[in-house]
Amino acid sequence: TMLQNYAKIAWRNLVKNQTYALINITGLGLGIGAALLIFALVRYHYAIDKHHQKHDHIYRVLTQFITPEGTFDIAGVPYDMGKALRNDYPAIENVAMIEHYWDPLVSVPVANGPDRKFKEAHTIGAFVQPAYFRIFDYNWIAGGPTELSQPNTVVISAENAIKYFGTTQVIGKLIKLNTVMNTRIVGVFENYRDNTDFAYPIMASWASLREFYGGPLTEGFDNINGGTQCFVSLNERFTQADWDRQ
C-alpha cells in the first residue's frame, strides 16, 4: 500500500542518514519534553490557591508608594487598614488582617520536666483575624476557628499537631509561642496542598498580638511593614468595579 511504501522510504532514509536522523529525533524529543515541562509549570502556577471557593473574589490590599524615583507597591499595610475598610466600606463581604512572623519557636509543656522546643526554621507563622477563615477554605480535623476571636488561642496543621503531641486530638492543649506567650489550641486543620502561597502551619489569634509584642500595636497609617497584610473577599453587594470607582 501507499503507506507501506512511505514507511519503507522513510526507513531507508533513516538508515542512510543515521547521524542526521539522530540529530532530528533528539531535537524533536527535546522540543516535546520542553513544551510539556512548560505546560506543566504554567498549569501548576495558574492552579495556585484556585481550590478556595471564592478564589476569583479574593484580593490582597496593597500600599502604593509614590517617590521621585517612581511608583511601587508592597503587600504591607498599616495595622488599622482592616478597621478602616470595615468602617468606610461596610458592604465588603469579608475583611481580614494577618501578621506574619518568621521561624516560630514552639514550646510544648512537659509535666515534671523541661518544655520540648521545636524551631520551625524557614517557616512563616501568622496571627489572623477570624474572617480569614471566611475568605480562605480550610478542612478541619478537630475544632475550628470559632474561638480564634479570643486572645491566646491558636490553630495548627495536622502535621504540626502530630509533631508536637503524636496525635491530632489536641484541642485544649497548650503551646508557647517564642517562649513569651501561652496559647490554647482550638483547631486542627488538614495539611496544605502543594499549590498554595499561604501555607501557615501555626495561626494564632490577632487578639494575641499585643501580648506577643509586649505592648499596643502602632495606630494610624504611618507605620507599614511587609508582614502586616490585609485580604478582602468581594461579592455582588460590593464588586471589583465598585472598588475601582472609589
Side-chain angles (χ1 to χ4, degrees):
T1 64
M2 184 178 295
L3 289 177
Q4 288 176 327
N5 290 333
Y6 284 150
K8 289 178 181 179
I9 293 170
W11 176 252
R12 289 170 184 166
N13 287 331
L14 287 174
V15 172
K16 184 178 180 180
N17 303 287
Q18 294 184 23
T19 303
Y20 180 76
L22 180 62
I23 293 173
N24 279 278
I25 292 171
T26 302
L28 178 63
L30 290 173
I32 293 173
L36 291 174
L37 178 60
I38 293 171
F39 172 78
L41 287 172
V42 170
R43 182 180 182 185
Y44 173 82
H45 285 288
Y46 270 96
I48 287 177
D49 287 306
K50 289 295 194 299
H51 57 281
H52 299 293
Q53 184 178 359
K54 300 176 182 178
H55 67 87
D56 54 346
H57 298 292
I58 298 173
Y59 299 86
R60 176 160 41 194
V61 180
L62 305 179
T63 298
Q64 184 175 85
F65 289 91
I66 301 175
T67 70
E69 290 75 27
T71 301
F72 62 95
D73 300 330
I74 68 167
V77 298
Y79 284 115
D80 283 344
M81 177 59 73
K83 182 169 63 175
L85 288 176
R86 283 188 288 268
N87 290 338
D88 294 347
Y89 307 106
I92 293 178
E93 182 183 40
N94 290 299
V95 179
M97 294 293 295
I98 179 171
E99 171 89 346
H100 293 165
Y101 71 104
W102 284 262
D103 301 333
L105 175 62
V106 177
S107 303
V108 179
V110 176
N112 303 319
D115 292 351
R116 290 186 296 119
K117 296 183 178 180
F118 300 85
K119 182 65 173 178
E120 303 292 354
H122 312 296
T123 300
I124 301 177
F127 292 87
V128 301
Q129 293 181 329
Y132 182 84
F133 298 99
R134 296 195 293 272
I135 297 174
F136 297 96
D137 297 324
Y138 282 74
N139 295 319
W140 297 93
I141 296 174
T146 305
E147 296 183 68
L148 212 61
S149 58
Q150 303 173 16
N152 303 95
T153 53
V154 67
V155 296
I156 61 177
S157 69
E159 179 180 358
N160 283 61
I162 292 171
K163 183 195 298 185
Y164 303 152
F165 299 100
T167 177
T168 57
Q169 301 306 306
V170 296
I171 301 302
K173 293 187 179 293
L174 299 179
I175 59 175
K176 183 178 287 187
L177 301 182
N178 286 25
T179 71
V180 299
M181 185 179 72
N182 286 314
T183 58
R184 175 172 55 90
I185 300 173
V186 297
V188 178
F189 53 86
E190 287 185 2
N191 295 328
Y192 290 99
R193 305 182 182 193
D194 290 336
N195 56 341
T196 181
D197 281 336
F198 311 111
Y200 311 116
I202 305 166
M203 287 182 281
S205 63
W206 182 265
S208 304
L209 269 175
R210 289 175 179 267
E211 181 177 341
F212 186 78
Y213 286 137
L217 304 181
T218 304
E219 296 182 352
F221 286 79
D222 296 331
N223 186 37
I224 299 170
N225 73 80
T228 306
Q229 301 183 7
C230 181
F231 291 90
V232 301
S233 64
L234 307 181
N235 59 14
E236 63 278 357
R237 292 181 58 217
F238 194 92
T239 65
Q240 183 181 359
D242 295 325
W243 180 278
D244 293 338
R245 282 194 293 268
Q246 302 304 313

